[in-house]
Amino acid sequence: MREALRKCRRIEAVQDQLHRRAEAEAARLERALADVDAERRAVLAAMSHEDFAPLMIAAAARRLRGLDAEMARLRAELEAQRARVREAAIRLKLAEGLSEKAGVQARAHDERRALDEALEAAVARSHASFPPA
């Protein structure tokens, strides 16, 4: 029983680690998306100046198209990562449930074993000396 409990706790620890990694990756993608969005705003703000030459506006427009494509890619990747985070959270909850069940079973096994030992000790004491005849 203790071995099963140890294995379940190890599975739970691994699932927790996987869940934390998935959350960290989602946070990294959110930061990358925010960075690209900030760069996009900066390009748009720079384009709003009237003293830009048409050549500069064309270069800025190309950069905006690239940033928009990058943002679309990051959004899709972020949504996929959020789905992985949800799946990892579900697996973690299942592992926690398994650990809890294994803990309950291990405690019940220990209690049964302790009761068996107490009963055997009581039986052994009662047979130690025979009552007078």
Side-chain angles (χ1 to χ4, degrees):
M1 280 295 147
R2 289 289 168 196
E3 184 68 18
L5 177 60
R6 187 185 65 75
K7 286 179 182 179
C8 286
R9 287 195 176 147
R10 177 66 183 140
I11 289 170
E12 181 183 350
V14 168
Q15 291 300 328
D16 182 51
Q17 200 173 39
L18 291 172
H19 182 249
R20 282 187 279 127
R21 283 185 182 178
E23 286 179 330
E25 178 64 15
R28 185 195 66 78
L29 288 170
E30 287 172 354
R31 284 190 304 273
L33 186 61
D35 291 345
V36 171
D37 188 48
E39 186 177 349
R40 183 179 182 275
R41 285 187 210 159
V43 170
L44 285 173
M47 284 180 64
S48 67
H49 292 296
E50 293 177 8
D51 56 344
F52 257 138
L55 183 61
M56 295 296 288
I57 290 178
R62 280 192 305 275
R63 181 65 185 140
L64 281 176
R65 281 192 296 276
L67 289 173
D68 287 342
E70 180 72 9
M71 286 179 71
R73 184 191 65 77
L74 284 171
R75 283 187 184 119
E77 197 173 327
L78 181 60
E79 285 307 310
Q81 187 62 32
R82 285 181 179 158
R84 286 189 288 274
V85 168
R86 284 189 296 274
E87 291 169 8
I90 290 169
R91 285 192 306 271
L92 175 60
K93 286 295 180 186
L94 289 173
E96 288 171 351
L98 286 175
S99 290
E100 182 63 30
K101 286 179 185 178
V104 167
Q105 288 176 349
R107 285 188 294 279
H109 182 263
D110 290 345
E111 289 172 2
R112 279 191 304 273
R113 191 175 63 219
L115 180 62
D116 287 345
E117 289 172 0
L119 288 173
E120 286 177 13
V123 168
R125 279 194 305 264
S126 69
H127 291 302
S129 61
F130 294 105

